[in-house]
């Protein structure tokens, strides 16, 4: 789940997603593409749409809420620059997290122009276990919640594509003694602090605290929910054998920099990684043209490519025409960590739903809610996605009121 504060400050983006934080960047896209809507849409996909929006100046704060099986970015607060690389004119960042280094996206600050400062919070959300005291959840749920819109006639929330205005005045909605204005976050936290809470409820309260502190810095926010937050598959594990997947991890393995790297060490790390990925991309492009023995013999002459020969033989033994482009895409997910793979039980899904419900009931109504099903690419199990979607919509209704839902994947796009 992702919360994004827009700049002006327009929204914060708050996102729930397990697979990845969707905070990558189209590697070869010119930065100025963000100012051409149609050209931009043709370049983006689900894992890289947020950072171009940051570069365009719309998001300044991002909160990534993730389950325990998703560990792509280090827990905590990350402040870094997003800008145009003066040497390539592409979008790059100053973050040294492995998430960005492994894609070759790091550059030093003095190499960026049109810089935008991004504040990223990465927060773990634990499930509300069935054994947890119901009284704990009742206590945190019953803490005072201030209305974002003093006019109840605007009591609508959105899912997928429509909008609802959230006035900034609602973020400072109560008065302290002496007439001094208290922020929305301060009022909410004082209410929560008055509760006697157990460990799980206390953890949820701490998340609410962080979220409210971020949201009060802006006028509105976007809530982005990926349904594979609740149950997720690594589809490549079903497409390839264990041995083939092992070879992919060997070929695409990311060599991390030293624990306290110098700038020179970081640049060497990125340069080596970019060269590694370019070589692999070129190799699989050659295989798309021809995977005959002559091509494989050529690969075998390069020590780093020898495992590729074994992989091709294995694939050709199992299928008539391997999809080498798909194999390359699978390899790109095998860098410093594997894709998450956790097909949840019904109870696990319900436990996460309850945690999300408690959190959403404690934060302001978003300007916009977007939901990604992630089922066509098999990340969210097809047999579970509809059930999860209905549970999420019910939580949104419970937290924010009437929804105007647009099902962009359906011919009947309004429910």
């Amino acid at each position: 789940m992702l919360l994004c504060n827009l700049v002006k400050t327009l929204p914060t983006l708050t996102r729930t997603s397990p697979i990845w934080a969707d905070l990558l960047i189209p590697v070869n896209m010119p930065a100025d593409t963000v100012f051409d809507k149609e050209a931009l849409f043709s370049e983006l996909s689900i894992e890289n749409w947020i950072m171009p929006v940051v570069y365009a100046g719309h998001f300044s704060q991002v909160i990534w809420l993730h389950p325990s099986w998703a560990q792509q970015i280090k827990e905590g607060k990350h402040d870094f620059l997003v800008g145009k690389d003066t040497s390539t004119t592409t979008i790059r960042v100053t973050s040294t997290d492995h998430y960005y280094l492994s894609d070759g996206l790091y550059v030093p600050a003095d190499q960026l122009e049109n810089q935008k400062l991004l504040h990223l919070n990465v927060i773990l959300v634990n499930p509300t276990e069935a054994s947890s005291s119901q009284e704990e959840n009742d206590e945190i749920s019953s803490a005072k919640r201030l209305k974002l819109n003093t006019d109840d006639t605007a009591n609508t929330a959105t899912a997928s594509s429509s909008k609802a205005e959230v006035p900034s005045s609602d973020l400072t909605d109560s008065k302290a003694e002496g007439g001094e204005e208290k922020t929305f976050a301060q009022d909410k936290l004082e209410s929560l602090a008055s509760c006697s809470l157990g460990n799980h409820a206390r953890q949820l309260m701490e998340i609410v605290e962080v979220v409210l502190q971020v949201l009060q810095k802006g006028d509105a926010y976007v809530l982005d929910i990926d349904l594979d937050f609740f149950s997720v598959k690594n589809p490549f594990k079903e497409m390839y054998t264990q041995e083939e997947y092992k070879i992919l991890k060997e070929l695409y393995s990311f060599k991390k920099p030293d624990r306290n790297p110098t700038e020179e060490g970081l640049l060497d790390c990125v340069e080596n990684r970019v060269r590694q990925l370019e070589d692999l991309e070129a190799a699989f492009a050659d295989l798309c043209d021809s995977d005959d023995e002559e091509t494989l013999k050529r690969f075998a002459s390069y020590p780093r490519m020898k495992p590729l020969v074994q992989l091709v033989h294995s694939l050709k033994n199992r299928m008539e025409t391997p999809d080498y482009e798909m194999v390359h895409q699978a390899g790109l997910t095998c860098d410093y960590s594997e894709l998450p793979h956790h097909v949840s039980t019904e109870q696990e899904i319900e436990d996460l739903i309850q945690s999300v419900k408690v959190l959403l009931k404690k934060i302001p109504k978003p300007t916009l809610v977007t939901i990604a099903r992630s089922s066509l690419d098999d990340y969210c199990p097809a047999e579970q996605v509809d059930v999860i979607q209905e549970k999420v919509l019910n939580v949104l209704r419970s937290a924010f009121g009437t929804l105007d839902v647009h099902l962009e994947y359906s011919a009947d796009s309004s429910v």
Side-chain angles (χ1 to χ4, degrees):
M1 186 161 72
L2 219 57
L3 291 148
C4 292
N5 236 9
L6 289 176
V7 173
K8 181 186 140 235
T9 315
L10 296 176
T12 296
L13 177 61
T14 306
R15 177 166 182 72
T16 54
S17 174
I19 296 263
W20 31 52
D22 293 352
L23 292 168
L24 292 174
I25 299 168
V27 174
N28 298 314
M29 184 188 80
D32 290 346
T33 305
V34 303
F35 305 114
D36 182 338
K37 183 177 71 173
E38 298 305 323
L40 178 62
F41 287 170
S42 68
E43 294 278 358
L44 300 182
S45 56
I46 191 171
E47 81 278 3
N48 60 25
W49 66 274
I50 296 168
M51 298 303 281
V53 179
V54 172
Y55 175 73
H58 301 303
F59 292 152
S60 61
Q61 307 263 354
V62 174
I63 304 171
W64 179 37
L65 303 174
H66 66 94
S68 60
W69 49 83
Q71 302 290 337
Q72 283 79 13
I73 304 179
K74 293 176 184 176
E75 207 77 12
K77 187 173 182 180
H78 306 255
D79 296 329
F80 56 92
L81 298 173
V82 181
K84 181 197 288 189
D85 182 351
T86 55
S87 64
T88 65
T89 74
T90 56
I91 299 174
R92 291 295 184 263
V93 299
T94 58
S95 172
T96 58
D97 192 276
H98 295 156
Y99 183 79
Y100 292 107
L101 291 175
S102 66
D103 255 33
L105 298 174
Y106 164 83
V107 298
D110 60 9
Q111 200 171 315
L112 290 179
E113 62 182 21
N114 193 23
Q115 299 174 354
K116 301 294 191 301
L117 177 61
L118 176 64
H119 306 282
L120 169 64
N121 280 275
V122 179
I123 303 173
L124 170 66
V125 177
N126 287 315
T128 300
E129 297 179 5
S131 59
S132 293
S133 166
Q134 182 60 42
E135 291 182 2
E136 282 186 11
N137 292 333
D138 289 343
E139 284 176 333
I140 192 170
S141 296
S142 64
K144 181 181 177 184
R145 174 180 178 163
L146 299 180
K147 293 180 181 178
L148 283 175
N149 195 327
T150 55
D151 181 1
D152 283 337
T153 60
N155 187 27
T156 60
T158 62
S160 186
S161 66
S162 55
K163 296 182 180 180
E165 293 296 325
V166 181
S168 60
S169 59
D170 290 320
L171 295 178
T172 54
D173 203 28
S174 60
K175 297 282 184 177
E177 289 185 15
E180 292 184 2
E181 201 168 43
K182 282 195 296 184
T183 66
F184 180 92
Q186 288 170 335
D187 186 279
K188 186 67 68 64
L189 293 174
E190 288 175 10
S191 298
L192 289 173
S194 67
C195 300
S196 176
L197 301 173
N199 289 337
H200 177 68
R202 189 175 295 110
Q203 193 246 1
L204 288 176
M205 187 184 78
E206 290 170 353
I207 295 174
V208 170
E209 177 180 356
V210 173
V211 171
L212 291 176
Q213 287 174 347
V214 171
L215 293 186
Q216 68 178 337
K217 298 174 183 177
D219 299 323
Y221 76 98
V222 173
L223 172 63
D224 180 53
I225 301 174
D226 198 322
L227 298 186
D228 62 11
F229 172 88
F230 301 93
S231 184
V232 63
K233 283 171 39 177
N234 178 348
F236 299 120
K237 285 194 170 183
E238 295 182 351
M239 296 172 64
Y240 306 111
T241 66
Q242 284 188 339
E243 184 59 30
E244 288 165 354
Y245 202 69
K246 180 180 177 182
I247 295 172
L248 280 174
K249 289 194 287 186
E250 179 182 353
L251 285 168
Y252 287 83
S253 176
F254 169 59
K255 185 178 180 182
K256 301 175 183 178
D258 296 336
R259 183 176 294 273
N260 296 304
T262 61
E263 184 174 301
E264 183 180 0
L266 290 169
L267 291 173
D268 286 344
C269 171
V270 168
E271 182 181 352
N272 291 335
R273 181 60 172 172
V274 169
R275 187 183 304 117
Q276 176 190 6
L277 295 180
E278 287 177 346
D279 289 347
L280 287 164
E281 182 178 13
F284 278 101
D286 288 347
L287 288 170
C288 288
D289 293 334
S290 174
D291 60 358
D292 59 16
E293 287 303 316
E294 183 177 343
T295 301
L296 297 183
K297 188 180 296 184
R298 177 162 51 86
F299 288 156
S301 65
Y302 300 99
R304 281 201 315 184
M305 291 295 181
K306 282 185 178 180
L308 181 57
V309 177
Q310 182 184 350
L311 176 62
V312 171
H313 283 147
S314 178
L315 292 170
K316 292 178 72 172
N317 285 337
R318 292 196 305 110
M319 52 190 78
E320 185 175 344
T321 308
D323 184 345
Y324 291 115
E325 185 176 349
M326 180 63 73
V327 178
H328 176 55
Q329 293 303 314
L332 291 173
T333 70
C334 302
D335 37 37
Y336 64 95
S337 67
E338 280 191 35
L339 284 181
H341 183 83
H342 184 96
V343 178
S344 301
T345 65
E346 289 183 17
Q347 188 60 57
E348 287 175 322
I349 292 171
E350 183 60 31
D351 292 346
L352 276 172
I353 285 285
Q354 290 306 312
S355 289
V356 170
K357 182 177 181 179
V358 170
L359 291 173
L360 294 186
K361 279 180 170 289
K362 295 294 103 187
I363 65 177
K365 180 163 55 177
T367 302
L368 175 70
V369 177
T370 57
I371 298 176
R373 284 166 58 89
S374 296
S375 58
L376 293 181
D377 50 14
D378 288 331
Y379 287 115
C380 187
E383 66 276 11
Q384 294 180 322
V385 66
D386 289 327
V387 172
I388 295 173
Q389 176 173 304
E390 190 56 36
K391 286 179 179 289
V392 168
L393 290 175
N394 286 337
V395 165
L396 291 170
R397 291 186 184 100
S398 174
F400 304 129
T402 303
L403 304 180
D404 180 12
V405 181
H406 293 254
L407 305 178
E408 300 296 340
Y409 60 91
S410 171
D412 180 13
S413 63
S414 183
V415 174

